[in-house]
Amino acid sequence: MPDVSQVTQGTSAQFRSFDSFEPIRALEFCPLARSTERALIAAGGDTRVAIGQFLSSDAEAPSQNSSALACLEYESLINVRHDTPVNAIAWSPNTNTDVPQARLSFCTAGSDHVVRCYQGDSHQQTVQALKGHTSYVNSCVYEPVEGSRVATVSDDRSCCLWDVATGQCISRLPLNSYGMSVRWHPSEPLKLMVAERQGLINIYDLVSCKPIASLTTLSGSALVDADWSPLNNMLVGAVAGNHSFVWNMAMGSEPQESRIVHNDGAVKFSWCRTAEQQFATVGFPPYQFKVHLSSTQKVPISHSFHVAGGISWHPTYPLCAIGGDCKIHVCECIV
């Protein structure tokens, strides 16, 4: 995936675009911040998953007077064949880039209703298939401490917890509507966030498998994506209809903030990993990317792309990746 050296000016932002193998349906930075010099990223398309890393060399390490985006280089590591289009990607905490041969561990949700867990290096991987969902799997996530379990949500109105080693479903939580998003918080390994299409978000206690907190959009519009802030376990965000919603769970079940973000509908919501009040959305008119601050109604960054197949934040820099039409676009989000 060579850098095409293309710099695009957005609203108060700069973008760089990197060539990809095919239109991107899902992508995810590895959230593990073991080093500021490299960040793994997985990009899934119709036939494969590309694993690569964005590098920032010591000689060009960003400072107050330089740009993290300008220092960025991309290195391709491996292309993994995927027999079905990729709906979602998640990284395991067992991934390790500190060894000479990087240890890769991640999972994908395919359009054939199967979740695949990959483990290995850039030369060889083993695959464990998690079979049991009867409709599309919309989101997947690893347990954040040991990576021994995966949680998934599906259009079959269930949330499943899987044992990665055996491939067995060890718990199934019935839902009232389609499961759209699932998150395990890095500081809350015994709690799981599950967002449903009807606009309900439950925080489950995994010891009792019962909800201990419930959030609702109160909008009547279908919820399509939700995220749990990695920097503040009280903050949850979502998009439904043309609105975004932000909850502070310490202040109750109704959203403390609601705003119109995309006139013709929003499809993605993602919290920044380096700035607590910052989040990104994607929606229509055609594939509009925006960065917001939850403390203000201003939109400091707005840009449109030909295709937007997922968004993901860099673990250590204010950079957000957007899946495009045979491109990965990276935005520097200093607001």
Side-chain angles (χ1 to χ4, degrees):
M1 186 184 293
D3 181 3
V4 297
S5 300
Q6 177 183 350
V7 178
T8 304
Q9 194 75 32
T11 304
S12 304
Q14 282 193 331
F15 296 81
R16 286 180 66 190
S17 297
F18 300 83
D19 287 340
S20 179
F21 53 93
E22 61 186 6
I24 296 170
R25 298 172 55 92
L27 85 167
E28 191 70 27
F29 270 116
C30 181
L32 305 176
R34 291 193 172 100
S35 170
T36 59
E37 297 177 9
R38 65 173 70 185
L40 290 171
I41 191 167
D46 287 331
T47 63
R48 50 184 157 163
V49 179
I51 305 297
Q53 59 185 353
F54 283 103
L55 303 170
S56 180
S57 67
D58 287 334
E60 298 179 330
S63 65
Q64 290 183 345
N65 299 317
S66 64
S67 164
L69 186 65
C71 298
L72 215 59
E73 299 177 358
Y74 182 84
E75 179 183 359
S76 177
L77 296 178
I78 188 171
N79 287 322
V80 179
R81 178 179 173 180
H82 203 273
D83 293 329
T84 183
V86 179
N87 292 342
I89 300 172
W91 286 94
S92 166
N94 292 320
T95 296
N96 187 355
T97 60
D98 293 337
V99 294
Q101 190 66 47
R103 180 183 178 186
L104 306 175
S105 183
F106 63 95
C107 70
T108 63
S111 62
D112 58 355
H113 317 160
V114 176
V115 175
R116 295 166 174 83
C117 297
Y118 296 85
Q119 295 189 65
D121 54 32
S122 59
H123 298 292
Q124 186 176 6
Q125 304 83 42
T126 60
V127 184
Q128 175 69 268
L130 311 181
K131 298 181 179 180
H133 281 298
T134 58
S135 191
Y136 289 106
V137 179
N138 295 309
S139 183
C140 53
V141 65
Y142 275 90
E143 180 274 319
V145 178
E146 297 179 352
S148 59
R149 292 178 292 170
V150 165
T152 57
V153 290
S154 167
D155 284 357
D156 65 12
R157 303 190 179 197
S158 73
C159 172
C160 290
L161 289 131
W162 307 83
D163 184 295
V164 174
T166 65
Q168 298 299 307
C169 178
I170 54 179
S171 183
R172 183 182 295 266
L173 306 175
L175 307 179
N176 295 313
S177 59
Y178 295 168
M180 302 307 296
S181 183
V182 62
R183 295 289 186 273
W184 232 311
H185 198 278
S187 68
E188 299 278 2
L190 296 179
K191 297 177 183 177
L192 190 72
M193 185 208 82
V194 177
E196 299 187 36
R197 191 168 178 83
Q198 68 178 17
L200 178 67
I201 301 174
N202 281 317
I203 308 297
Y204 284 88
D205 170 51
L206 293 180
V207 176
S208 66
C209 291
K210 301 291 184 182
I212 56 174
S214 295
L215 312 173
T216 179
T217 63
L218 299 175
S219 70
S221 299
L223 183 152
V224 291
D225 196 24
D227 196 16
W228 199 353
S229 169
L231 300 179
N232 184 340
N233 62 3
M234 289 289 106
L235 294 180
V236 172
V239 285
N242 59 6
H243 280 69
S244 70
F245 302 86
V246 172
W247 294 263
N248 184 327
M249 290 189 284
M251 300 175 66
S253 63
E254 297 183 8
Q256 282 69 58
E257 177 187 308
S258 172
R259 68 177 79 179
I260 296 175
V261 287
H262 300 280
N263 290 335
D264 296 329
V267 294
K268 294 291 182 183
F269 183 106
S270 182
W271 287 106
C272 181
R273 290 170 177 155
T274 59
E276 183 178 305
Q277 299 298 319
Q278 197 166 310
F279 63 90
T281 60
V282 170
F284 303 100
Y287 301 108
Q288 194 177 57
F289 167 79
K290 293 183 178 182
V291 173
H292 314 262
L293 291 172
S294 63
S295 57
T296 175
Q297 291 290 320
K298 293 182 179 179
V299 181
I301 296 173
S302 179
H303 196 73
S304 294
F305 297 98
H306 181 55
V307 173
I311 53 178
S312 184
W313 290 89
H314 192 284
T316 55
Y317 294 131
L319 303 173
C320 191
I322 307 101
D325 186 5
C326 299
K327 303 283 184 186
I328 293 179
H329 307 289
V330 181
C331 171
E332 187 160 43
C333 303
I334 301 174
V335 299

